[in-house]
Amino acid sequence: WQRFGGMSSRLLFTEIFAVAMLCRVLFALETSTVEALQSQVESKKANMKNSAARSLLDKVCDVVIEVDNGARLTQHEPRLSTMLLLAPARDLAGARLHDFLVSADTPVLDARLERVNSELGKEGAMARIEDELLHVRMHDGLQNVIDVELFHLPFMTIAGGLHHMVG
């Protein structure tokens, strides 16, 4: 073995290899950290936009709910239970918005959701509240019919799914 400053070439090669591997690991960690931070920033931006929209809807609407693309409530909303005279203990998470509409009005909601889906690629499709006003009838727990106007704002979740904020 040749010696370089008292080290064998095998030991020198091992140390160079170890330093190269350490650099590769540090680069991978830095890359994943940057990606995670970018994801957090995007998540916070989306949450801020949704919070602003929800805050606005809360000021002008009696009830604000979030539904997924299948029109299912993403979480329980006590104000909807109260408005529809439903039992307070009844969890509405996962219930379809259709379940509360007069059956003749469900095609109106379906047509609106289909139109929104088809417009997603068009410029400005996600930013329109004013022309998303929808007139429907809902029935309460006593089967009374209630005329309501729904403000509707579609938005993309962090996971890339389409959801709708409805007030």
Side-chain angles (χ1 to χ4, degrees), residues 19 41 57 92 94 96 118 162:
V19 169
V41 168
L57 286 175
L92 299 181
R96 293 190 72 212
S118 69
L162 176 63

Side-chain angles (χ1 to χ4, degrees), residues 53-126:
R54 185 171 186 102
S55 178
L56 177 63
L57 286 175
D58 273 334
K59 289 185 184 346
V60 297
C61 300
D62 296 323
V63 177
V64 179
I65 59 172
E66 181 182 328
V67 297
D68 63 16
N69 200 28
R72 293 192 181 282
L73 277 74
T74 59
Q75 61 188 17
H76 176 65
E77 178 52 62
R79 292 187 300 173
L80 181 60
S81 292
T82 301
M83 184 181 105
L84 296 178
L85 304 175
L86 301 173
R90 180 178 171 191
D91 186 5
L92 299 181
R96 293 190 72 212
L97 188 54
H98 296 75
D99 297 341
F100 308 112
L101 296 180
V102 172
S103 59
D105 287 349
T106 58
V108 174
L109 178 65
D110 289 337
R112 177 61 55 89
L113 295 178
E114 279 183 39
R115 183 177 62 80
V116 167
N117 282 336
S118 69
E119 288 184 354
L120 280 180
K122 297 179 183 175
E123 185 178 334
M126 300 305 282

Side-chain angles (χ1 to χ4, degrees), residues 17-36:
F17 180 75
V19 169
M21 291 306 295
L22 181 62
C23 288
R24 184 177 179 102
V25 167
L26 289 175
F27 178 75
L29 284 172
E30 179 186 17
T31 303
S32 66
T33 302
V34 168
E35 289 173 0

Side-chain angles (χ1 to χ4, degrees), residues 39-56:
S39 176
Q40 287 178 353
V41 168
E42 291 301 318
S43 174
K44 286 183 180 185
K45 282 182 185 178
N47 285 340
M48 286 175 59
K49 287 179 184 177
N50 289 344
S51 293
R54 185 171 186 102
S55 178
L56 177 63

